[in-house]
Amino acid sequence: DEATKVEKLWTKSLVKQRKLILVVDLDQTVIHATVDPTIGEWMRNEQNPNYPSLKDVKSFTLDEETKTPVYSIFKRTYFVKLRPGLQKFLDSVSQKYELHIYTMGTRAYAKEIARCIDPDGSIFADRILSRDESGSITSKSLERLFPTDTSMVVIIDDRGDVWNWSDHLIKVVPYDFFVGIGDINSNFLPRQKS
């Protein structure tokens, strides 16, 4: 009952603002990321022939756990390339949509990517759902965000299978910038052909 009340108030607010909801995937939809340390080496070397193409690549470091039997924390650096035209797209759609992030990445990863694409928090705020909260590491569900009404929701994602080919989905062509690197957060999912 409480979820229904909250969602009805939210819906009224969105209707008053004349907005719909846009759920945005991150990896290979609006950004491409890698953890390949070679990228960092190239970014620090102005003599490297790849240096000019990496000038707008962003980076951040996260503390992560090892997957081995011995528990430890290590630092991992991520390199992120924004999809060309992303900022113009986000500025435009944020006029008509309330934007939410839904990713198979961790919450810490999603928050760092959000800082890369929305540094002042004016577009996404803290509207982030990651694999840490979603309850599934193999699929996404609108009902996790909107338990009673999904009628005002549109999704953009490069993968339809994780949404069970929802009618709300607009499938985009995967964005690949780093050669040989797919979606770094879907190593547990089968690679999908474009």
Side-chain angles (χ1 to χ4, degrees):
D1 288 343
E2 192 61 32
T4 302
K5 282 184 208 175
V6 169
E7 208 162 326
K8 281 183 182 178
L9 289 173
W10 191 6
T11 300
K12 281 183 184 180
S13 172
L14 289 171
V15 169
K16 188 176 182 177
Q17 296 174 60
R18 300 175 55 102
K19 286 188 172 186
L20 296 173
I21 298 163
L22 181 62
V23 175
V24 179
D25 172 57
L26 296 177
D27 293 297
Q28 290 191 278
T29 298
V30 296
I31 59 102
H32 195 211
T34 186
V35 294
D36 183 346
T38 307
I39 302 302
E41 293 170 16
W42 293 348
M43 289 172 65
R44 290 185 296 272
N45 180 359
E46 293 183 28
Q47 305 308 310
N48 187 290
N50 296 307
Y51 180 83
S53 62
L54 300 172
K55 67 180 187 277
D56 58 353
V57 168
K58 300 173 185 288
S59 66
F60 60 87
T61 302
L62 292 177
D63 290 337
E64 298 192 351
E65 300 173 5
T66 58
K67 305 284 187 207
T68 62
V70 178
Y71 175 81
S72 68
I73 301 286
F74 67 99
K75 295 199 177 294
R76 173 172 281 159
T77 301
Y78 289 83
F79 301 96
V80 180
K81 175 73 172 173
L82 306 187
R83 189 174 197 131
L86 177 62
Q87 198 58 57
K88 184 177 179 184
F89 170 75
L90 292 176
D91 290 342
S92 176
V93 298
S94 66
Q95 303 303 311
K96 298 283 184 189
Y97 292 87
E98 177 182 272
L99 279 76
H100 296 249
I101 291 172
Y102 195 151
T103 181
M104 291 291 195
T106 64
R107 179 138 188 103
Y109 173 82
K111 287 179 92 168
E112 289 296 330
I113 297 294
R115 281 190 198 105
C116 290
I117 62 179
D118 180 24
D120 64 0
S122 62
I123 295 174
F124 292 103
D126 197 33
R127 294 182 297 267
I128 298 172
L129 186 68
S130 71
R131 73 174 176 219
D132 296 337
E133 303 92 20
S134 73
S136 174
I137 62 167
T138 58
S139 65
K140 296 178 181 179
S141 169
L142 282 179
E143 287 72 22
R144 295 294 300 171
L145 288 169
F146 313 103
T148 62
D149 182 12
T150 60
S151 62
M152 295 177 63
V153 182
V154 178
I155 306 160
I156 57 169
D157 201 320
D158 66 299
R159 295 188 58 156
D161 59 327
V162 297
W163 291 101
N164 198 27
W165 299 101
S166 168
D167 292 338
H168 299 268
L169 175 69
I170 297 173
K171 186 183 174 305
V172 299
V173 174
Y175 175 54
D176 289 309
F177 178 77
F178 301 107
V179 177
I181 307 293
D183 180 343
I184 64 171
N185 285 301
S186 71
N187 56 4
F188 48 84
L189 296 171
R191 179 76 177 136
Q192 180 178 340
K193 294 181 180 177
S194 301

